[in-house]
Amino acid sequence: MFTLDTATLEAQEMGGGLSVTFPFSSATGTADTAAVYLVFEPGGALAEHTDSAEEWLLVLEGIVEATVGDETGILEAGQLVLVPAIAPHSARNVGDGPARVLGFFGASTNVAHFSDELAPGVKTLVVGAQPGIALPVPTPEPAVA
């Protein structure tokens, strides 16, 4: 039986007051689901991006402002938001303390494409590439004629 204790998860610092880990995905042997665990410091943000898979986001702690498509709302502990596949979305901690969010994807591998670069030349991450992390995919250089 696969179990997960969110109290013991260790997330990687991504910058901007956000830490992330992917506790299960195709890289850990799941066939049809994956998860993301996000920890936001006050003011921390998850940049706008799209995911190839549908996603549910559950706020475990704190107050999070989430934007899905052209709608924005405030979510508190115990509340969920549905993010359709390919819908642009983002989130940020608008509370005074940390915020923790657990997301569930409807696929064991997910391709996330960010509106802005996460690092020089990187706008795409593949979840399920390696256990616990997302593999960055460099942005291809434009073809020269």
Side-chain angles (χ1 to χ4, degrees):
M1 173 171 48
F2 183 88
T3 63
L4 180 67
D5 182 353
T6 59
T8 62
L9 286 177
E10 294 182 21
Q12 292 179 295
E13 174 63 40
M14 300 294 288
L18 176 67
S19 297
V20 177
T21 191
F22 298 89
F24 60 87
S25 66
S26 58
T28 61
T30 61
D32 298 311
T33 58
V36 60
Y37 177 69
L38 306 110
V39 179
F40 298 84
E41 296 303 320
L46 172 63
E48 182 181 81
H49 65 287
T50 60
D51 290 312
S52 59
E54 184 175 82
E55 179 182 19
W56 280 101
L57 295 171
L58 170 63
V59 177
L60 301 172
E61 174 186 8
I63 304 170
V64 175
E65 179 184 77
T67 299
V68 178
D70 59 0
E71 296 181 80
T72 299
I74 300 294
L75 300 169
E76 297 185 19
Q79 293 184 307
L80 292 146
V81 63
L82 174 65
V83 180
I86 310 303
H89 59 288
S90 61
R92 68 185 181 100
N93 181 353
V94 294
D96 295 330
R100 296 182 310 120
V101 175
L102 186 59
F104 301 93
F105 295 103
S108 62
T109 301
N110 178 59
V111 178
H113 183 75
F114 287 78
S115 300
D116 296 317
E117 288 185 343
L118 297 172
V122 176
K123 291 178 77 173
T124 304
L125 297 177
V126 179
V127 176
Q130 296 179 25
I133 65 168
L135 180 65
V137 177
T139 304
E141 294 292 324
V144 178

